[in-house]
């Protein structure tokens, strides 16, 4: 997605060979117009998928916090509800929950993520969205929750995939359609290098 790549080049800061800081439009301050564009783009990729799949997406699932804006604009395009998995159990979360463990490579700790059973049924067809894809720990936690519900997965939408880490490959090897709007090949020497792909 050209507009997103431009934004990354203009405003992203390479903190190390592994980490890109994009807090001016994605992880702290949020660019609403860009998020609307991202919602349209994910929606277009989902509609392409309908050519080979006859089930329609019924729900979007993301994880708090940075996945929420793009999940919302995508849900608006598709006219389906958006769920965000919680990282901390809320006070009012007294219902039965689906819980999965997510290992954070950056924090080196495992945390529970939680979704109320009330919002995910076996007949849902779920599209998963997250802001970054690194090793895929968060995506695997969300997949686990969808599977616990007995629901199916339509695909995985990622805003920024770091293709030099193994999360994307693992998800594609499992057969999930992965829609990444910007795929970063390398962050070496402080330079953002994108992968060549057909959806640029
Ligand atoms: P993984 O889920 O793909 O395995 O990655 P990891 O454990 O490394 O991710 C921990 C957090 O760091 C996640 O956000 C993830 O989105 C984010 N992250 C990973 N790589 C990058 C990067 O290069 N740049 C930025 N800006 N973030 C990265 P989180 O802690 O869950 O926070 P939130 O922003 O969603 O609230
Ligand atoms: Na994040
Ligand atoms: Na995230």
């Amino acid at each position: 997605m050209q507009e997103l790549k431009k934004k990354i080049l203009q405003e992203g800061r390479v903190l190390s060979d592994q980490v890109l800081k994009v807090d001016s439009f994605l992880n702290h301050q949020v660019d609403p117009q860009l998020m609307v564009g991202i919602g349209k783009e994910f929606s277009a990729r989902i509609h392409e998928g309908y050519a080979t799949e006859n089930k329609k997406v019924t729900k979007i699932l993301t994880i708090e916090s940075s996945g929420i804006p793009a999940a919302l604009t995508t849900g608006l395009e598709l006219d389906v509800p958006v769920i965000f998995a919680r990282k901390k159990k809320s006070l009012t979360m007294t219902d039965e929950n689906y819980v999965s463990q997510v290992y954070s490579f950056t924090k080196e700790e495992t945390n529970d993520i939680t979704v109320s059973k009330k919002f995910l049924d076996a007949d849902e067809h779920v599209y998963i969205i997250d802001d970054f894809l690194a090793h895929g720990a968060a995506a695997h936690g969300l997949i686990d929750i969808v599977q616990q519900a007995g629901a199916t997965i339509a695909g995985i939408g990622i805003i920024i995939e770091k293709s030099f880490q193994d999360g994307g490959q693992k998800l594609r090897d499992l057969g999930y359609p992965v829609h990444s709007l910007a795929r970063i090949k390398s962050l070496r020497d402080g330079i953002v290098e994108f992968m060549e792909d057909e959806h640029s």
Side-chain angles (χ1 to χ4, degrees):
M1 183 184 174
Q2 222 42 260
E3 194 188 347
L4 171 66
K5 289 183 182 175
K6 197 172 141 200
K7 199 85 171 166
I8 291 169
L9 292 176
Q10 285 173 343
E11 298 183 19
R13 280 183 45 215
V14 177
L15 294 191
S16 71
D17 286 1
Q18 312 287 315
V19 179
L20 175 71
K21 185 164 174 150
V22 284
D23 64 347
S24 69
F25 63 91
L26 183 57
N27 291 133
H28 192 20
Q29 178 171 262
V30 176
D31 181 332
Q33 292 298 352
L34 181 66
M35 292 303 145
V36 167
I38 285 171
K40 289 187 199 300
E41 190 69 27
F42 281 139
S43 171
R45 304 278 180 105
I46 290 165
H47 278 95
E48 282 172 21
Y50 288 165
T52 51
E53 201 180 294
N54 46 22
K55 279 169 88 179
K56 294 262 182 292
V57 169
T58 61
K59 214 156 261 193
I60 309 285
L61 175 63
T62 188
I63 179 165
E64 64 175 343
S65 55
S66 300
I68 296 175
L72 181 72
T73 54
T74 307
L76 193 61
E77 283 295 316
L78 297 178
D79 197 21
V80 298
V82 175
I83 312 172
F84 58 95
R86 290 184 173 264
K87 289 178 181 164
K88 290 217 172 72
K89 232 178 129 181
S90 96
L91 266 181
T92 58
M93 258 188 140
T94 52
D95 306 303
E96 281 228 83
N97 299 312
Y98 301 115
V99 180
S100 189
Q101 278 77 44
V102 173
Y103 178 74
S104 169
F105 288 87
T106 41
K107 292 169 193 145
E108 294 182 346
E109 60 186 27
T110 300
N111 294 297
D112 284 353
I113 63 168
T114 306
V115 169
S116 169
K117 289 190 176 174
K118 199 164 57 183
F119 300 124
L120 210 48
D121 292 322
D123 60 0
E124 309 280 7
H125 196 43
V126 181
Y127 190 75
I128 292 171
I129 287 181
D130 207 0
D131 57 340
F132 268 91
L133 179 59
H135 300 286
H140 285 280
L142 295 173
I143 289 169
D144 180 32
I145 281 178
V146 175
Q147 288 175 338
Q148 286 180 43
T152 51
I153 292 163
I156 299 162
I158 298 292
I159 301 177
I160 302 175
E161 174 180 343
K162 293 187 290 181
S163 300
F164 55 88
Q165 294 173 330
D166 63 355
Q169 194 54 50
K170 282 192 291 192
L171 292 172
R172 291 182 180 94
D173 287 347
L174 287 168
Y176 297 112
V178 180
H179 306 141
S180 299
L181 304 189
R183 299 181 72 192
I184 295 177
K185 188 175 173 185
S186 163
L187 293 172
R188 272 191 304 269
D189 304 322
I191 294 163
V192 179
E193 190 188 340
F194 293 109
M195 303 270 284
E196 316 268 343
D197 69 283
E198 81 255 42
H199 275 110
S200 58

